[in-house]
Amino acid sequence: MAVSRGEWSSKTGFILAAAGSAIGLGNIWRFPYVVGENGGGAFVLMYIVFVIAIGLPYMLAELALGRSVQSNPVGSIHAIRPGSAWKSAGYLGVLTGVGILSFYGVIAGWTVGYIYKMMIGEAGGFGEFISDPWLVSFLFALFLCITALIVHGGISNGIERWSKILMPVFFILLIGLIIYTITLDGAAKGLTFYLKPDFSKITGRTALAALGQAFFSLSLGMGLMITYGSYVSKKENLISSAVYIAFFDTLIAIMAGLIIFPALFAMGKSPAAGPTLVFVVFPELFASMPGGFVVGIFFFILLSVAALTSTISLLEVPVAFMVDQHKVNRKSIVWIVAFVTFIIGLPSALSQGASDLFSNFGWLPERLSSPDFLSHMSFIFGDFSLGFGALLLSIFIGWIWGADKAAAELTLGAEKFTLTKKAWMIMIRFLIPLIIFVILLNLFGIFG
Ligand code: PHE
């Protein structure tokens, strides 16, 4: 019996779901601390250039392949080159989905914990909070269960409906917070750090960080956009959809920085605090502002929701793979994948002080990742796999499937694309793989 795959019910539905995947902890939690670690304004500028020059054209390639073949990453590659080794690029995507979910879900669990902490008026104590083994494991499990429940509900009813209501609310809350923080004493210094580029801060390592962050934030490199593209109808304009997704994703990240950096400098804290930045700065900000109690609760509820629309998409990739390739029932496989992810994620959950072994894991060189297990997973799956996956997929789409066929798919529903088609084909075949390749080589210290 054929299992029905489902389709988005409208163009806005698709854009919101894809933007919901893109917008998440990557924007609010990861972007500000990566900016802080990499010197501020110059990094922000480089990030924006990468989003426009690499992220956006690459996203079009994934969407085109997905809509053309109507399948998950493995199935899509199989449909074009049956039996070839290229399928491993698809498997890598499925694996990366599970890998990212396994640490992302841990942090998403913290955001839920912070809803409660805000309710009882407790702004500090982040260190004790993340090192409590039972609490973090429970919150992680809870978050995976909520994710699984929604993915269980299917495409348009589950993923689409939720994204439509909650993303706009989050946007409005962020605007309110920007207005508040930029009027704080000392905010100007934060704005300078954040917005005024100091080009001496750009190195090979910052270039990789900017590219990695662009792929992570736009949900690229693991076939997520292949999967989401496979649910889009042929009538829709993929180009304008991708522009909207990239625009809103970048806008939200920039907005998060506009809140964090003024607040940070107003509090006299260092911007290079790493992954804990957001969980320390935001609660303190709420504690000091009038009515901050209510704002804090709302903020962490909405941040949890933003994380949820991303975890949903992360779970959807392995689930779509199992449904398409192995014809299993969506409803039961969702729970199995969630359970496996929980097991893989436990070491990450315990790596922030709860377990000595996982907190000082240190398998990767210091230069690449902090010693804790979660940072290792974040580097392996969140940076390296996404970049490597994007390299393979751009070569596959540009050369094996054919940039001309991808361009023809993109032209459906977007007749005007004919004008820029040539430029896009050159980008996907030459420029994008080349730049990703150079940045990955640099990662291994090839250029010193
Ligand atoms: N883009 C999401 C975020 O920024 C994370 C993510 C990465 C989701 C890859 C899906 C795929 O939070």
Side-chain angles (χ1 to χ4, degrees):
M1 187 189 75
V3 182
S4 134
R5 297 189 75 251
E7 191 174 273
W8 307 112
S9 67
S10 68
K11 178 175 172 183
T12 11
F14 159 60
I15 292 175
L16 281 168
S21 164
I23 297 167
L25 297 171
N27 308 61
I28 311 287
W29 160 74
R30 203 175 194 257
F31 179 76
Y33 90 72
V34 178
V35 171
E37 284 180 340
N38 288 282
F43 179 90
V44 176
L45 198 67
M46 189 159 62
Y47 176 77
I48 294 174
V49 171
F50 278 163
V51 167
I52 297 171
I54 300 180
L56 185 59
Y58 172 80
M59 186 190 295
L60 289 173
E62 278 201 19
L63 288 173
L65 178 60
R67 186 174 69 175
S68 169
V69 187
Q70 312 248 315
S71 189
N72 64 85
V74 176
S76 298
I77 293 172
H78 182 72
I80 284 163
R81 267 293 150 98
S84 75
W86 283 103
K87 251 202 313 197
S88 47
Y91 285 114
L92 178 68
V94 172
L95 187 75
T96 307
V98 175
I100 295 181
L101 186 56
S102 81
F103 73 84
Y104 194 96
V106 172
I107 298 151
W110 298 350
T111 63
V112 174
Y114 263 72
I115 301 175
Y116 177 71
K117 270 169 80 83
M118 291 294 110
M119 283 176 173
I120 59 169
E122 190 183 279
F126 180 63
E128 292 94 81
F129 172 78
I130 54 171
S131 58
D132 180 335
W134 292 106
L135 184 59
V136 288
S137 307
F138 166 75
L139 290 169
F140 175 39
L142 178 71
F143 209 91
L144 284 177
C145 282
I146 302 172
T147 305
L149 261 180
I150 295 178
V151 176
H152 180 111
I155 294 304
S156 63
N157 251 331
I159 305 178
E160 186 173 338
R161 198 177 49 187
W162 279 80
S163 308
K164 256 187 186 158
I165 312 169
L166 292 159
M167 295 315 286
V169 181
F170 192 47
F171 190 74
I172 295 167
L173 183 80
L174 289 181
I175 294 192
L177 284 172
I178 294 176
I179 297 175
Y180 176 76
T181 51
I182 57 176
T183 57
L184 292 174
D185 263 354
K189 265 202 244 135
L191 288 178
T192 311
F193 173 84
Y194 183 47
L195 299 175
K196 191 159 167 252
D198 168 0
F199 291 104
S200 67
K201 298 255 168 70
I202 293 192
T203 63
R205 182 78 187 86
T206 43
L208 173 74
L211 187 75
Q213 176 60 22
F215 280 117
F216 186 85
S217 190
L218 294 169
S219 304
L220 300 178
M222 51 165 273
L224 184 272
M225 291 297 171
I226 298 179
T227 309
Y228 271 26
S230 74
Y231 306 125
V232 180
S233 115
K234 297 270 184 198
K235 298 191 300 281
E236 304 298 0
N237 183 334
L238 289 176
I239 315 258
S240 65
S241 305
V243 171
Y244 279 120
I245 296 162
F247 174 76
F248 280 115
D249 185 63
T250 309
L251 183 68
I252 299 276
I254 302 283
M255 285 167 70
L258 285 175
I259 302 169
I260 285 275
F261 291 105
L264 193 75
F265 279 76
M267 292 169 189
K269 284 195 185 343
S270 151
T276 60
L277 190 64
V278 165
F279 288 94
V280 175
V281 173
F282 273 105
E284 245 189 72
L285 177 70
F286 300 137
S288 68
M289 72 195 258
F293 166 67
V294 183
V295 179
I297 298 174
F298 263 101
F299 175 82
F300 280 104
I301 291 179
L302 292 169
L303 185 57
S304 304
V305 171
L308 185 60
T309 50
S310 300
T311 52
I312 288 168
S313 74
L314 286 162
L315 184 57
E316 177 62 24
V317 174
V319 166
F321 161 72
M322 293 302 286
V323 171
D324 292 343
Q325 302 312 114
H326 299 287
K327 306 284 173 252
V328 294
N329 182 298
R330 165 178 277 274
K331 306 227 181 271
S332 42
I333 195 65
V334 162
W335 295 98
I336 297 173
V337 178
F339 180 72
V340 171
T341 309
F342 177 72
I343 301 297
I344 299 175
L346 264 182
S348 291
L350 301 177
S351 72
Q352 303 301 306
S355 140
D356 220 32
L357 171 66
F358 295 123
S359 305
N360 305 301
F361 204 60
W363 275 18
L364 289 170
E366 192 80 31
R367 176 171 68 81
L368 298 179
S369 157
S370 307
D372 62 287
F373 194 84
L374 193 152
S375 297
H376 278 33
M377 294 296 275
S378 167
F379 174 78
I380 294 169
F381 291 106
D383 285 310
F384 180 74
S385 278
L386 293 183
F388 188 59
L391 178 65
L392 295 179
L393 287 172
S394 60
I395 296 173
F396 180 79
I397 293 169
W399 296 88
I400 310 292
W401 183 33
D404 49 338
K405 298 209 188 76
E409 178 69 39
L410 291 173
T411 314
L412 299 177
E415 283 70 27
K416 289 208 195 87
F417 183 59
T418 326
L419 300 173
T420 43
K421 203 158 121 181
K422 282 256 147 55
W424 181 80
M425 284 168 57
I426 293 173
M427 287 174 103
I428 198 67
R429 299 185 76 168
F430 299 99
L431 222 62
I432 295 179
L434 190 75
I435 295 176
I436 302 176
F437 185 63
V438 170
I439 292 183
L440 286 178
L441 280 187
N442 183 44
L443 184 64
F444 294 102
I446 307 286
F447 306 119

